[in-house]
């Protein structure tokens, strides 16, 4: 079954803290795992992405950790800022060359408080 | 480069009508995918077009259809609208159809309200 489970549904973090969002998948054919950030009234914007042959990828304050054997991956936002308050979606793409269908997690509403 | 553009941004229709949404991908991108976003179902894949051919299709009724033109622009059509079709419809473009680190870039969406 092509599902991506995301947790938590909502998250409140203090400014400067670390935000952690977790995702788990079932289909081992997924080959690409992007994270998107969405602000109200806007379309999702690509944040960072990883392939399953890499265990960690870091871009600025954002890091993806990937555990292929456990079929889990997570997003860490270091030094969280109020401007990071948004909804975050993990996603997974099917077989390489098999098209661009993304299966999304249910989203995490992040609020960063001062 | 200009991003993905979608028109119109907002649309109000009544049940039974049909609607056409338009998407212009990022220049050079040949793949266009459509997604429906609702509070209850989240982000769901509708279909993907690549080089004017439907590449993938999600689990939506036949009332949802699309097409792609030779310049990669895409349209999505929903016939016989139902109240449950009220949603944000998102278009995403990508250079190719799912190779390597090709990433999909989303437009701002069209907010469809069915009364």
């Amino acid at each position: 079954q092509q599902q991506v489970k995301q947790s938590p549904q909502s998250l409140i973090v203090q400014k400067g803290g670390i935000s952690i969002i977790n995702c788990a998948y079932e289909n081992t054919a997924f080959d690409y795992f992007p994270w998107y950030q969405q602000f109200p009234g806007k379309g999702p914007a690509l944040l960072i992405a990883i392939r399953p042959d890499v265990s960690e990828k870091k871009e600025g304050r954002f890091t993806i950790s990937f555990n292929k054997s456990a079929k889990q991956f997570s997003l860490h936002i270091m030094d969280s800022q109020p401007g990071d308050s948004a909804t975050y979606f993990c996603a997974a793409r099917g077989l390489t060359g098999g098209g661009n269908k993304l299966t999304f997690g249910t989203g995490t509403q992040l609020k960063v408080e001062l | 480069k200009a991003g993905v553009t979608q028109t119109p941004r907002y649309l109000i229709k009544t049940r039974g009508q049909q609607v056409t949404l338009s998407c212009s991908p990022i220049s050079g991108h040949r793949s266009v995918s459509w997604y429906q976003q609702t509070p209850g179902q989240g982000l769901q894949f509708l279909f993907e077009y690549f080089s004017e051919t439907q590449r993938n299709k999600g689990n939506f009724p036949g009332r949802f259809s699309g097409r792609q033109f030779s310049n990669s622009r895409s349209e999505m059509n929903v016939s016989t609208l139902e109240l449950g079709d009220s949603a944000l419809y998102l278009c995403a473009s990508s250079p190719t159809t799912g190779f390597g680190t090709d990433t999909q870039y989303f437009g701002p969406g069209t907010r469809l309200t069915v009364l």
Side-chain angles (χ1 to χ4, degrees):
Chain A
Q1 190 168 355
Q2 301 217 6
Q3 262 192 326
V4 177
K5 295 181 181 178
Q6 184 172 346
S7 63
Q9 187 174 355
S10 62
L11 183 60
I12 300 175
V13 173
Q14 295 300 117
K15 180 183 175 183
I18 302 174
S19 304
I20 302 174
I21 303 171
N22 300 298
C23 286
Y25 63 97
E26 299 170 358
N27 188 346
T28 56
F30 287 142
D31 75 333
Y32 191 57
F33 300 86
W35 284 86
Y36 287 87
Q37 177 190 57
Q38 187 176 29
F39 292 103
K42 306 286 187 183
L46 177 70
L47 205 55
I48 186 172
I50 197 168
R51 291 182 60 87
D53 53 350
V54 176
S55 61
E56 186 175 281
K57 183 175 181 181
K58 184 176 180 180
E59 288 184 2
R61 296 186 294 111
F62 302 93
T63 299
I64 301 178
S65 297
F66 193 90
N67 186 329
K68 188 175 180 179
S69 60
K71 292 187 283 185
Q72 295 175 347
F73 58 111
S74 60
L75 175 70
H76 294 232
I77 306 174
M78 312 300 286
D79 187 27
S80 299
Q81 299 296 313
D84 296 331
S85 297
T87 301
Y88 293 80
F89 293 94
C90 61
R93 189 187 70 189
L95 283 170
T96 294
N100 270 321
K101 176 183 176 180
L102 287 175
T103 300
F104 282 89
T106 49
T108 296
Q109 277 194 313
L110 170 65
K111 183 177 181 181
V112 181
E113 293 183 335
L114 292 167
Chain B
K1 268 185 182 178
V4 178
T5 58
Q6 292 187 244
T7 56
R9 292 292 314 279
Y10 302 91
L11 210 46
I12 299 175
K13 293 285 187 179
T14 56
R15 279 181 299 172
Q17 287 187 309
Q18 75 165 20
V19 67
T20 299
L21 312 181
S22 181
C23 172
S24 292
I26 292 171
S27 177
H29 285 194
R30 295 166 60 195
S31 166
V32 173
S33 298
W34 289 88
Y35 293 82
Q36 181 195 64
Q37 186 174 26
T38 60
Q41 299 298 315
L43 278 153
Q44 292 189 292
F45 173 81
L46 279 155
F47 30 65
E48 178 196 4
Y49 285 87
F50 180 75
S51 294
E52 301 178 66
T53 302
Q54 189 177 85
R55 190 74 171 78
N56 280 303
K57 191 176 189 307
N59 295 324
F60 280 83
R63 299 184 297 105
F64 292 81
S65 63
R67 60 177 175 168
Q68 187 180 35
F69 303 95
S70 58
N71 61 358
S72 294
R73 192 177 68 85
S74 176
E75 286 182 349
M76 183 191 122
N77 184 275
V78 187
S79 62
T80 319
L81 284 165
E82 300 177 0
L83 294 179
D85 297 334
S86 294
L88 181 67
Y89 289 90
L90 293 158
C91 167
S93 80
S94 178
T96 65
T97 181
F99 287 95
T101 55
D102 271 358
T103 300
Q104 292 182 63
Y105 297 90
F106 284 83
T110 294
R111 171 72 64 185
L112 172 65
T113 302
V114 182
L115 302 176

